[in-house]
């Protein structure tokens, strides 16, 4: 079964605004978390990851925040662009391996011009 | 980085017919390989993973099977498809030890 879920199935933002996509996980033993972006009809693409010994990690225009106390993960996208429109999945794993990931259902992000 | 090739991209098959989806990997050797299924509106469900040639582990009991005849080739098969087998199938690869999980473009299967 799925132990990783998402608070909102859809998110609509204005171009240029910041987006925040949230995710809750239930397995406190998970120590590796990943965000994927999936454009329509394509396979998921890795965006950013974070290990449980970190609270925050930044990439290009994206930031992942991990709150282990409440088992919450979020993805922040700065200055959202139309090309960011996609479904975003969070995933968790144990042992630092991406192989046996548990994926959430996904949040569909729509960017309005 | 790795490149994952999957084919066919789209497939429409009648119930009871066989299935063969193929996946090949470029850019790495001895990868861990995975087959995932994505039902509409749902996340990705791990079906099979392989750590080496002829080494397959099944995560979910079903009428599908997987084979790995070569290091960078992973095949998903069925002898008789069911309606419930419809979905989007993704092959993925990860370098042994760690690393990013790379996905193929997916194969959309519709069973009628």
């Amino acid at each position: 079964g799925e132990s990783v879920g998402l608070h909102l199935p859809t998110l609509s933002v204005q171009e240029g605004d910041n987006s925040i996509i949230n995710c809750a996980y239930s397995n406190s033993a998970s120590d590796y978390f990943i965000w994927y972006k999936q454009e329509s009809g394509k396979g998921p693409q890795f965006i950013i990851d974070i290990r449980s010994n970190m609270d925050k990690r930044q990439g290009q225009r994206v930031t992942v925040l991990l709150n282990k106390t409440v088992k919450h993960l979020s993805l922040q996208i700065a200055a959202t662009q139309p090309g960011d429109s996609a479904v975003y999945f969070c995933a968790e794993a144990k042992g630092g391996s991406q192989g046996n990931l548990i994926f959430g259902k996904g949040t569909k992000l729509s960017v309005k011009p | 980085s790795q490149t994952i090739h999957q084919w066919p991209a789209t497939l429409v098959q009648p119930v009871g017919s066989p299935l063969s989806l193929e996946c090949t990997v470029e850019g790495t050797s001895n990868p861990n390989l995975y087959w995932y299924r994505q039902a509409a509106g749902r996340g990705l469900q791990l079906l099979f993973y392989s750590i080496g040639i002829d080494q397959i582990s099944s995560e979910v009991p079903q009428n599908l099977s997987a084979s790995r005849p070569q290091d960078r080739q992973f095949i998903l098969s069925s002898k008789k498809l069911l309606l419930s087998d419809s979905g989007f199938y993704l092959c993925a690869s990860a370098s042994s030890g760690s690393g990013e999980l790379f996905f193929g473009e997916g194969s959309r299967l519709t069973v009628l």
Side-chain angles (χ1 to χ4, degrees):
Chain A
E2 296 175 352
S3 69
V4 179
L6 294 161
H7 294 308
L8 294 173
T10 60
L11 178 65
S12 183
V13 299
Q14 203 69 38
E15 181 179 358
D17 289 351
N18 296 335
S19 302
I20 300 176
I21 301 173
N22 295 306
C23 180
Y25 64 95
S26 59
N27 187 353
S28 56
S30 293
D31 57 8
Y32 184 50
F33 305 87
I34 309 151
W35 281 101
Y36 286 90
K37 173 186 179 182
Q38 187 176 21
E39 296 177 9
S40 180
K42 297 186 176 182
Q45 290 181 295
F46 174 95
I47 301 174
I48 193 168
D49 60 359
I50 189 168
R51 298 191 184 274
S52 58
N53 61 352
M54 301 172 68
D55 297 323
K56 179 180 179 179
R57 190 164 188 222
Q58 287 184 295
Q60 187 177 13
R61 282 201 308 118
V62 294
T63 300
V64 56
L65 298 176
L66 176 63
N67 186 332
K68 296 179 286 295
T69 303
V70 295
K71 289 185 281 189
H72 183 268
L73 189 70
S74 68
L75 176 71
Q76 299 178 4
I77 304 173
T80 313
Q81 303 169 1
D84 294 326
S85 294
V87 176
Y88 289 81
F89 292 95
C90 64
E92 63 176 319
K94 198 168 61 173
S97 169
Q98 290 202 48
N100 297 340
L101 291 171
I102 299 173
F103 285 85
K105 292 183 180 175
T107 293
K108 184 176 181 180
L109 175 65
S110 297
V111 181
K112 295 178 288 186
Chain B
S1 67
Q2 301 179 34
T3 303
I4 317 300
H5 299 285
Q6 265 188 258
W7 71 94
T10 305
L11 195 60
V12 180
Q13 291 285 101
V15 169
S17 64
L19 171 74
S20 180
L21 299 178
E22 296 201 30
C23 171
T24 58
V25 181
E26 294 178 1
T28 187
S29 58
N30 194 31
N32 294 333
L33 298 177
Y34 308 86
W35 277 110
Y36 286 88
R37 177 169 59 202
Q38 185 177 28
R42 291 177 172 261
L44 294 162
Q45 179 188 35
L46 179 62
L47 302 176
F48 300 95
Y49 71 92
S50 169
I51 61 172
I53 294 174
D54 294 329
Q55 299 179 69
I56 312 292
S57 296
S58 174
E59 290 294 303
V60 182
Q62 57 209 321
N63 69 320
L64 298 172
S65 62
S67 61
R68 185 171 177 176
Q70 299 181 51
D71 180 46
R72 288 173 289 175
Q73 183 185 24
F74 206 23
I75 299 170
L76 184 69
S77 304
S78 174
K79 292 182 179 177
K80 288 185 178 182
L81 284 168
L82 305 172
L83 287 174
S84 58
D85 291 324
S86 294
F88 191 52
Y89 289 83
L90 287 153
C91 177
S93 170
S95 297
S96 302
S98 67
E100 186 174 335
L101 189 63
F102 294 87
F103 285 87
E105 291 296 298
S107 297
R108 185 163 299 283
L109 170 66
T110 303
V111 182
L112 302 174

